[in-house]
Amino acid sequence: MAIGIFGGTFDPVHIGHLRTALELREHLGLDAMHLMPCGDPGHRTAPLTSAAHRFAMVELAVAGEKNLVADDREVRRSGQTWTVDTLSQWRAEAGTELPLCLCIGMDSLVHLNTWKRWRELIGLAHIVVAARPGWVVPTTGEVADWIADRLVVDKAVLLKAPAGHLYIDEMTLLPVAATELRNALHSGHSIRYLTPDAVVDYIQYHHLYQ
Ligand code: ATP
């Protein structure tokens, strides 16, 4: 068994998130990929939409894709949620041996040093980075130095240890961001094909992002 954890605001979830989650699960040979919307994030501005709505949209988006799981552990928690606390909870539940992969986009890796107790994350899970259009691996600064000691090129090692490695995966690049979906909706434009139809319908029904 090996599990992937893909966190984010998902405000709203879109095809960039969904293809990334699906491809990472397949490429790495993970048993399941959990898409985990944050509650009240500590390291960035609050999402526009309630955690309950953001979670509901993720749930609709992954319905029918059995290895993708909508995970509500952060939205259930009140107050600010920090990834390091969530991973500690995962590790306590999963035990010491199960490989866990915290999956993030390249933009998140570049800013990883702004996350609470960021150096501890890799002791709790591997960190897997998805390429994202417009972002490259940092080559200078404290994140770059930290990467150099942990980067592996053989993804097979991720399944042989519970945590501790950093892996960068090449995948289908989809230059989509939730900001663009919010802006389009705000201007009255369609977001069809940027997210599953069930999410489009949910947004319309609840009059979100207007
Ligand atoms: P926003 O535009 O509101 O900043 P976003 O589209 O970047 O949102 P987030 O919920 O902030 O979405 O992202 C969650 C995770 O998904 C992050 O690790 C981010 O790097 C990654 N991600 C988001 N969009 C893509 C994409 N198109 N391709 C690959 N990774 C992505």
Side-chain angles (χ1 to χ4, degrees), residues 6-20 38 44 54 103-109 115 130-133 135 171-182:
F6 187 33
T9 40
F10 302 117
D11 190 20
V13 65
H14 55 68
I15 55 169
H17 301 130
L18 295 166
R19 274 308 301 182
T20 298
C38 61
R44 55 174 283 176
R54 290 182 289 108
C103 301
I104 59 176
M106 186 64 80
D107 55 310
S108 300
L109 177 69
W115 295 24
R132 191 170 180 188
W135 295 88
M171 54 181 36
T172 308
L173 294 177
L174 292 164
V176 181
T179 306
E180 287 163 33
L181 275 75
R182 293 195 299 274

Side-chain angles (χ1 to χ4, degrees), residues 8-13 37-41 44-58 75 178-179 181-183 185-186 191 199 202-204 206-210:
T9 40
F10 302 117
D11 190 20
V13 65
C38 61
D40 177 14
R44 55 174 283 176
T45 45
L48 211 59
T49 316
S50 73
H53 278 317
R54 290 182 289 108
F55 175 72
M57 290 187 277
V58 170
V75 303
T179 306
L181 275 75
R182 293 195 299 274
N183 290 344
L185 288 161
H186 190 69
I191 58 161
V199 175
Y202 184 94
I203 289 171
Q204 277 175 356
H206 292 279
H207 306 290
L208 303 180
Y209 307 105
Q210 293 182 2

